[in-house]
Amino acid sequence: MKKIVLTFGLIAGVILSAMMLLTLPFVDELGFDRGQILGYTTMLVAFLLIFFGVRSYRDNVAGGTVRFGRAFAVGMLIAAVASACYAAAWEVYYFNVEPDFMAKYQAHVLEKARANGESAEALAKRKAEMDKWAELYENPAINAAVTFF
């Protein structure tokens, strides 16, 4: 089971990390909204490897049948390995390449809210909330946990 979990988890993790590292430098041209769509689509495609990993486990280890609990465990372990790769890549990128990413994202969210007609009071409240999150996000452990989940 360990070989299947690591193989499929690392492949999914490489896909997630590579697409993130390839697209983040172009977020100014893509825009945050399109970037999110591309990112979540990539995650969906990468996490399809959970299905193939569980199927591989069923066919090659479990003799053609697998109970729900074991299949769930294999799938969760594959997802955990892939998510750990993604979180590690984000940590390196965020703290070494683009430490002002959160400020850019905050500006985008506030501009979008302003364009949608939010009141000055609502904008101030949103900014204060985002400032708290930005401060928390500077802690690598919290940053990694949020990214992992």
Side-chain angles (χ1 to χ4, degrees):
M1 177 169 90
K2 185 166 58 170
K3 181 180 179 188
I4 289 171
V5 166
L6 287 175
T7 300
F8 286 91
L10 289 173
I11 292 169
V14 166
I15 291 169
L16 291 170
S17 300
M19 281 302 292
M20 176 184 58
L21 295 174
L22 288 172
T23 57
L24 274 174
F26 304 106
V27 77
D28 291 334
E29 291 85 16
L30 279 173
F32 281 99
D33 295 332
R34 286 190 195 116
Q36 282 181 331
I37 291 168
L38 180 61
Y40 287 126
T41 302
T42 300
M43 288 179 186
L44 180 67
V45 170
F47 284 128
L48 283 174
L49 287 164
I50 294 170
F51 168 78
F52 294 112
V54 171
R55 189 178 73 178
S56 177
Y57 176 81
R58 180 198 68 193
D59 295 344
N60 299 320
V61 176
T65 61
V66 63
R67 298 184 64 90
F68 174 79
R70 177 58 70 168
F72 186 78
V74 170
M76 289 302 291
L77 288 171
I78 292 170
V81 170
S83 296
C85 292
Y86 180 78
W90 172 249
E91 290 291 297
V92 170
Y93 184 83
Y94 182 79
F95 287 107
N96 295 311
V97 178
E98 196 163 4
D100 63 336
F101 181 84
M102 188 56 77
K104 289 179 183 179
Y105 182 70
Q106 284 178 318
H108 164 74
V109 169
L110 292 173
E111 181 57 39
K112 191 173 178 180
R114 194 173 295 115
N116 287 338
E118 281 195 24
S119 68
E121 181 180 296
L123 286 171
K125 185 177 176 182
R126 185 183 295 247
K127 173 140 178 45
E129 185 178 301
M130 291 183 77
D131 286 342
K132 285 182 196 175
W133 270 105
E135 184 179 330
L136 285 173
Y137 214 63
E138 290 304 313
N139 179 336
I142 293 174
N143 188 315
V146 168
T147 304
F148 183 86
F149 288 109

